[in-house]
Amino acid sequence: MTPIRLSTTSYVVLGMIALRGPSTPYDLKRAVGHSVGYFWHFPHAQLYSEPDRLTDLGLLELSVEDTGRRRKTYSLTDAGRTALRAWLAAPTPEHFEMRDIAELKLFFNEVGDANNVLSLAHEQIKQHEERIAVYEGMQERFGDAPEARPRMLTLELGLEMEYAALRFWTALAADDLARLRRTRRAE
């Protein structure tokens, strides 16, 4: 079956509701912030508008509180679960995409001051060390929980990417990219 053509944000919304159960847009924003938000960034406003669109397509069901704040809560329909499963099963021919502002600045470094590269490297080392600490903390807290095992795979990939970036920026700061190349070739 060919998956329905939806945006990645649509699939994030469907997937989060599939994992969490019925959710308000605020619930989705918080859940994304503690999960896929670490590696897939998009405007949070989309998490507030996309559920209505998915409801119009019959992929989510909407219930609104009768009183009080009249919160909207969205649940996955059978059609939504089918669309999500079809998307998950479909091949992913797109190449790995990284949107890293530091890499973009590094690309244009010759236009700026030569000292900017070293400054950038030190900033990136700090950021990657901090993210590694966050990810390793998650691994310690949730790594042995059977219900968390499927998501730990994504965490492992995130750690590998953070360590690779840390190796690069550390070698750049030490003016030792030759060692990094030798190590890579030896592997």
Side-chain angles (χ1 to χ4, degrees), residues 5-182:
R5 298 287 300 162
L6 298 172
S7 70
T8 303
T9 301
S10 296
Y11 288 115
V12 168
V13 168
L14 292 174
M16 293 308 295
I17 292 174
L19 291 174
R20 296 188 80 257
S23 302
T24 66
Y26 179 75
D27 295 333
L28 293 171
K29 179 181 151 245
R30 285 181 43 88
V32 164
H34 296 291
S35 60
V36 298
Y38 284 108
F39 59 89
W40 191 265
H41 303 284
F42 48 85
H44 288 286
Q46 290 179 342
L47 295 173
Y48 286 89
S49 61
E50 195 60 20
D52 285 330
R53 194 173 86 74
L54 295 171
T55 299
D56 292 344
L57 293 171
L59 303 176
L60 293 178
E61 183 178 309
L62 169 64
S63 68
V64 181
E65 290 178 342
D66 293 334
T67 59
R69 295 172 60 195
R70 302 189 49 82
R71 253 184 298 234
K72 293 179 173 184
T73 302
Y74 297 87
S75 303
L76 197 62
T77 64
D78 288 340
R81 185 171 304 283
T82 298
L84 178 61
R85 286 183 171 164
W87 176 71
L88 291 169
T92 305
E94 294 87 6
H95 182 71
F96 169 76
E97 179 181 320
M98 179 170 54
R99 294 178 52 159
D100 180 12
I101 293 173
E103 187 175 3
L104 197 56
K105 286 183 175 187
L106 190 61
F107 180 82
F108 291 113
N109 81 80
E110 64 195 79
V111 179
D113 185 303
N115 294 325
N116 292 348
V117 172
L118 187 57
S119 242
L120 180 63
H122 287 296
E123 290 170 7
Q124 290 302 301
I125 289 167
K126 183 178 182 238
Q127 287 184 26
H128 290 290
E129 287 174 340
E130 289 171 358
R131 183 57 61 99
I132 287 168
V134 167
Y135 285 177
E136 287 180 342
M138 289 175 170
Q139 204 171 37
E140 287 175 24
R141 285 191 311 279
F142 307 113
D144 294 333
E147 66 277 3
R149 272 196 199 114
R151 282 179 241 143
M152 290 295 106
L153 295 172
T154 307
L155 187 61
E156 286 294 334
L157 178 58
L159 274 166
E160 285 298 316
M161 292 169 66
E162 290 296 330
Y163 273 110
L166 180 60
R167 282 190 301 274
F168 170 80
W169 289 109
T170 302
L172 182 63
D175 195 21
D176 198 8
L177 289 175
R179 179 188 48 80
L180 185 67
R181 283 186 215 103
R182 285 191 306 273

